[in-house]
Amino acid sequence: MASLFISTTTWDSKFTTYITLFVFLLSSSIFISTEAYDALDPNGNITIKWDIMSWTADGYVATVTLYNFQQYRHIEAPGWQLGWTWTKKEVIWNMVGGQATEQGDCSKFKGNIPHCCKKNPTVVDLLPGTSYNQQVANCCKGGVLSSWAQDPANAVGSFQISVGSSGTTNKTVRAPKNVTLKAPGPGYTCGRASIVKPSRFTTSDKRRVTQALMTWNITCTYSQFLASKTPTCCVSLSSFYNDTIVSCPTCSCGCKSNTTGGCVEGKSPHIASVVQGSNRNAITPLVQCTSHMCPIRVHWHVKVNYKEYWRVKVTITNFNYASNYSQWNLVVQHPNFENLTQIFSFKYKSLTPYASINDTGMLWGIKFYNDLLMQAGPKGNVQSELLFRKDKSTFSFEKGWAFPQRIYFNGDNCVMPPPDAYPMLPNAGSRKYISLLTLFITSILTFAFIYAFA
């Protein structure tokens, strides 16, 4: 009986251990799968559509299209890089609108040499100005893709690829695996290729519809944590009703100032140095050595309070000596965006990630005016003012209501100051106390003056 009790106890212990381990693994998998989720753009992704358009003697010709369905995250220069691993012994015979970065070992081929023989090719977009016979629709942008909300016409990129040694029917051809997307750095994770309903194409006269022979879809999602271990932007705050200026929280650490006010090389993930000309002792920091060490600072200043309106000034400052930010954008979440009346020198689009709740706005620069955020220096900032109408049922300057809940720059969530550090309204009791004290002192001085000269 005792042995039975012991064995039962042991089994219960093992069972409990297994259950605990299972729950841990399940929770870990849930965490991993949700880390790329963006609350302000829940459906944002880059979808890669692989359309087989025709069969060849030993393979097929396909059009590969990248759709940037992200509302505010775009791909900057030097552009996207798309990689994959072939399932069989495929080769790329030819490409139009794009090119493989390496040819690989094609020594076994006689006569015609393939464009690429690598098992795991990497493809990039061609540059603007490519000759017309090497172009296809939506190609040749240098890999730059605009965000969907900002410029949907330029949020699509394509290339054509002729594949050999792959099979020549829907049953023998295989989709590529281990798809990777760099844009241009890390951050994206791509799922498996899945067979979907073949794409349909309408002719220019809209009188005929054709369709692909076979279509694969690959979905890639973005994780800010994978893209950068440290934040890339931060937010500072100030207001007309409080002298406090809340500085940016620290983005990265380990920076040490040198004699030029810059940063020592290699002390921070965002810091590096360049050598100017032939003078190897002339070191120029790539990021200014500020207290917060963020390449981008967004400052939100509550500027004016009118009877029916209130005004905010927004300033974006670039502390990065190495980068201009082209086609930048700013996403701000604040409950009063539903009552935005006017915006100066920026473009604006309302985002509604929560159906009917209009509390998120996307701001970006005007083309050829301030759509390029210049490198650190006197011109390294852009600014605008926002005029809001007051809604008496919700409007307040108390408890930090006038400050944003969340700010993104170029799709990355910026570090916000803690709520208890926000500039608060001066306490009404304190103001009254100071006012009475001032009145009392003034009265005493007045009586003393009268008594002295009476």
Side-chain angles (χ1 to χ4, degrees), residues 53-194:
M53 305 304 294
S54 62
W55 301 111
T56 62
D58 68 337
Y60 61 86
V61 175
T63 298
V64 181
T65 308
L66 290 79
Y67 296 90
N68 184 12
F69 290 128
Q70 299 173 113
Q71 292 293 308
Y72 43 77
R73 187 174 294 107
H74 58 270
I75 297 179
E76 294 184 278
W80 55 262
Q81 295 182 32
L82 183 64
W84 63 83
T85 301
W86 291 119
T87 305
K88 300 195 288 186
K89 296 183 179 180
E90 293 94 333
V91 295
I92 302 174
W93 280 113
N94 186 37
M95 290 191 68
V96 181
Q99 63 181 1
T101 57
E102 295 183 54
Q103 184 182 41
D105 183 6
C106 296
S107 58
K108 68 178 182 180
F109 290 89
K110 310 294 186 215
N112 291 335
I113 304 298
H115 175 79
C116 177
C117 299
K118 286 182 68 67
K119 180 74 172 177
N120 53 341
T122 298
V123 170
V124 296
D125 193 12
L126 296 181
L127 297 174
T130 297
S131 58
Y132 286 108
N133 63 345
Q134 287 296 312
Q135 293 188 27
V136 293
N138 297 312
C139 85
C140 312
K141 304 173 184 176
V144 175
L145 294 181
S146 298
S147 61
W148 196 258
Q150 196 166 348
D151 188 2
N154 288 305
V156 182
S158 294
F159 60 88
Q160 190 181 84
I161 184 171
S162 178
V163 181
S165 304
S166 63
T168 56
T169 67
N170 286 20
K171 293 184 178 180
T172 58
V173 75
R174 294 291 179 268
K177 60 182 182 179
N178 301 330
V179 176
T180 60
L181 176 65
K182 293 184 177 180
Y188 286 91
T189 301
C190 301
R192 293 181 179 179
S194 57

Side-chain angles (χ1 to χ4, degrees), residues 300 310 332-338 358-361 388 400-406:
W300 180 278
W310 61 291
V332 182
Q333 187 178 33
H334 189 283
N336 211 201
F337 263 110
E338 190 169 5
N358 180 14
D359 66 349
T360 306
F388 295 97
W401 183 90
F403 300 104
Q405 298 170 354
R406 204 166 357 193

